[in-house]
Amino acid sequence: MPAPTLDEVLDILHEIAPLELAAEWDNVGVLLRPNQEVGPVKKCMLTIDLTEAVVAEAKNFGADLVVAYHPPIFKPLGRLDAADASQRRVIAALQAGFVVYSPHTALDATAGGLADWLIEGALGDDVPEAVHACGDGEYGRLAQLTKPISFTALLERLKALYGVANLQVAKPEGMASEVRAIAVAAGAGSSVLRGARADVLVTGEMSHHEVLAAVADGTAVVLAGHSNTERGFLRVLGERLTSEFGEALQVKVAESDRDPLAVV
């Protein structure tokens, strides 16, 4: 099987996460196309953030396409200046010669996408009574459980899902040891989870005052770090691309992509 064209890969990415599901404020799709004519896509790298380290790794890998979950170009650029770190990575990617595509919130909202992966990982083998989308644009998920689960067991599941040793946890005073409803959202999910009637809110990051408000309302908060709630899904996305194109497309998750914060 010959290597797919860029359009063929983009068609599959659109099937996985239709761009019309993205938030109005988002910037999704092909964000960098260094050449008017793009040859076969033989190598694809997946990353959460297009950092300078990831650009260098993608160049060494020989990537023809980089799928960056977070858009490396978000706000309109009035000028290009290599002295600016954010713009420098864009310039470096253009010089490296690969296409950059971002699905972002479209990947959150889609069926079988990031939000579904988050709630399925939180539930483990427990069977939910119901799972609902939450937030404008359906970027989060709320699960009601047929049987309560241990809060401690939930935390261990989340650590395994996100590949982290520690979580930030805020609990209301006198909180029960078991939970019946869990709401999840990727990244900075406070706006998505606002108003969700759950025992526990799980996301990457929330502000100090948002955490205080949730706890005052009787809801526990679990924070894993913004990109830690997203990065594990790259393996799932890679498997979907591999199942579609087989050996004709070499897919790699960037090794240099990691959460910028560490617990020391």
Side-chain angles (χ1 to χ4, degrees), residues 17-242:
L19 296 182
E20 54 268 26
L21 297 178
E24 290 185 3
W25 48 260
D26 208 353
N27 190 29
V28 295
V30 175
L31 303 186
L32 289 176
R33 187 192 293 260
N35 300 303
Q36 184 175 358
E37 297 296 330
V38 179
V41 177
K42 299 178 181 179
K43 295 184 178 182
C44 174
M45 179 166 282
L46 308 179
T47 186
I48 295 299
D49 293 301
L50 189 72
T51 61
E52 289 184 84
V54 170
V55 170
E57 183 182 351
K59 182 178 180 180
N60 291 335
F61 175 57
D64 303 297
L65 170 66
V66 172
V67 178
Y69 171 76
H70 288 145
I73 301 175
F74 194 70
K75 297 179 180 179
L77 296 176
R79 61 184 57 83
L80 280 175
D81 185 352
D84 181 284
S86 295
Q87 296 180 34
R88 189 164 57 243
R89 60 179 177 164
V90 173
I91 295 170
L94 283 169
Q95 292 174 332
F98 52 75
V99 175
V100 177
Y101 178 93
S102 178
H104 204 204
T105 53
L107 195 61
D108 295 348
T110 191
L114 183 46
D116 284 338
W117 176 79
L118 287 171
I119 195 62
E120 289 165 5
L123 294 175
D125 294 329
D126 291 298
V127 178
E129 179 178 316
V131 176
H132 305 283
C134 60
D136 293 337
E138 302 187 347
Y139 305 121
R141 296 291 184 269
L142 169 63
Q144 303 284 346
L145 305 174
T146 54
K147 296 180 180 179
I149 62 172
S150 161
F151 183 60
T152 301
L154 172 63
L155 295 180
E156 293 306 311
R157 277 182 201 164
L158 295 175
K159 289 178 184 179
L161 181 68
Y162 304 143
V164 299
N166 301 282
L167 296 165
Q168 290 184 297
V169 177
K171 298 192 299 181
E173 186 175 352
M175 176 184 169
S177 61
E178 295 182 322
V179 299
R180 292 181 177 274
I182 305 166
V184 300
S190 58
S191 63
V192 175
L193 298 175
R194 189 176 297 123
R197 304 310 302 171
D199 300 313
V200 184
L201 304 180
V202 181
T203 189
E205 61 176 314
M206 293 173 65
S207 76
H208 173 79
H209 296 289
E210 288 166 338
V211 173
L212 287 178
V215 172
D217 198 36
T219 304
V221 174
V222 178
L223 305 178
H226 188 117
S227 63
N228 289 333
T229 59
E230 303 158 340
R231 189 165 289 105
F233 189 75
L234 295 179
R235 295 190 299 273
V236 179
L237 180 58
E239 290 168 0
R240 292 186 185 179
L241 291 173
T242 299

